[in-house]
Amino acid sequence: MEVKDFDFNLPEELIAQTPLADRTASRLLVLDKDTGDTAHRHFRDITEYLTAGDCLVLNDTRVLPARLLGTKEETGANIELLLLKQTEDDVWEALVKPAKRVKTGTVVSFGEGLLKAECIGEADHGGRYFRMIYDGIFYEILDQLGDMPLPPYIREKLDDKDRYQTVFARERGSAAAPTAGLHFTEGLLDDLREKGVNVVFITLHVGLGTFRPVSVEDIESHDMHAEFYRITQETADIINNTKRSGGRVVAVGTTSARTLETVGTKFGDMQEDSDWTDIFIYPGYTFKAVDALITNFHLPKSTLVMLVSALAGRDHILNAYREAVDEKYRFFSFGDAMLIAPQTKGEPQ
């Protein structure tokens, strides 16, 4: 199977540049994963498609203001760092722009020396390792100096940093938002709980893989970048009980889906676990845990399009994407959403 098999035409004007004022006002394309049938709704209507006994699984990772703009101490040249993950105390892996100006021993200064980063080595995929030098509390300094690491296809300035965070974000560590979760408000989650839907949380810190295109023709040759995840015993027990009771496990976002499938593959059911995952899900994969998925519309030829194609079938996904383009849905991080689910519970409740 080749990368070109997951291509589609996407007009640039459909790439959402800013979030909607109301998180729940996004459109929702509902796709029956078995038949390919679609319906066009709004995200607040998600309550009609989830029923008592279902389990909604959300990723509670919190995005770091990880984009730092500084200067090279030796020459004053402008340097940009995108922090990806902390590897040990005060040591971070980061993407650098321009990378050719940063060698081992280079020191980059931010905020007139409030924070300094010394390059101590090279990482995979062109990244670097930096030792952070500062006085005080690192995360407070980062909140002061850093910007949100918006994807390169978003060119508009984000006025409110919180709009690139989910309302339930709490575990610091991501280089990008789990964007399917951006559509939820506390009120909408309360409505689902009142309906009898179990709402649980896992953590997966979104990392370098979000920014890496698939550079090989044969998708089986693509290497996924590892990301850290955590699932608690309480969450594992609720998901297992949902399965036993005939409810559906509904993953919010591909990050939640990858976490659940990693644990399900590892143990056969859900168990408390924390580890690194480089799971790559594409057509031919058999899902162990996820029954339904809430997700945004993804980049052509991306691993995320491949994942949703594994759940619903490539033809159903590409047909739905073409329909979304025709209907002028908004794409990517600040765009509209899809619900991919089997209609095993009849018509919407």
Side-chain angles (χ1 to χ4, degrees), residues 51-70:
T51 60
D54 287 341
C55 181
L56 190 72
V57 184
L58 300 136
N59 184 2
D60 65 1
T61 189
R62 187 169 186 83
V63 185
L64 296 172
R67 192 177 299 278
L68 290 163
L69 303 176

Side-chain angles (χ1 to χ4, degrees), residues 9 25 39 67 93 126 129 148 151 154 158 196 220 224 236 240 254 268 285 298 304 310 316 321 329 344:
N9 179 53
R67 192 177 299 278
E93 180 184 350
Y129 293 108
M148 279 297 176
I154 294 179
L158 183 64
E220 294 184 24
M224 293 285 286
N240 288 334
T254 56
Y285 177 85
H298 305 296
L304 306 181
H316 288 169
Y321 269 52
Y329 274 68
T344 55

Side-chain angles (χ1 to χ4, degrees), residues 59 106 139 165 283:
N59 184 2
T106 297
Y139 287 108
Q165 301 278 19

Side-chain angles (χ1 to χ4, degrees), residues 251-291:
V252 177
T254 56
T255 59
S256 295
R258 293 178 68 242
T259 301
L260 295 174
E261 291 304 311
T262 296
V263 177
T265 299
K266 188 174 182 180
F267 298 111
D269 62 359
M270 291 298 109
Q271 297 186 25
E272 181 177 7
D273 193 33
S274 61
D275 206 341
W276 294 81
T277 180
D278 60 357
I279 191 171
F280 180 19
I281 298 173
Y282 53 87
Y285 177 85
T286 300
F287 282 80
K288 309 341 184 257
V290 174
D291 299 304

Side-chain angles (χ1 to χ4, degrees), residues 210-251:
T210 295
F211 302 95
R212 284 183 60 210
V214 179
S215 57
V216 295
E217 291 185 8
D218 181 356
I219 66 173
E220 294 184 24
S221 301
H222 177 69
D223 292 323
M224 293 285 286
H225 195 82
E227 296 167 314
F228 178 80
Y229 70 87
R230 180 186 297 113
I231 181 171
T232 66
Q233 190 61 54
E234 179 183 10
T235 290
D237 289 343
I238 292 171
I239 293 171
N240 288 334
N241 288 336
T242 297
K243 286 286 193 183
R244 283 193 289 268
S245 302
R248 296 174 298 179
V249 174
V250 183

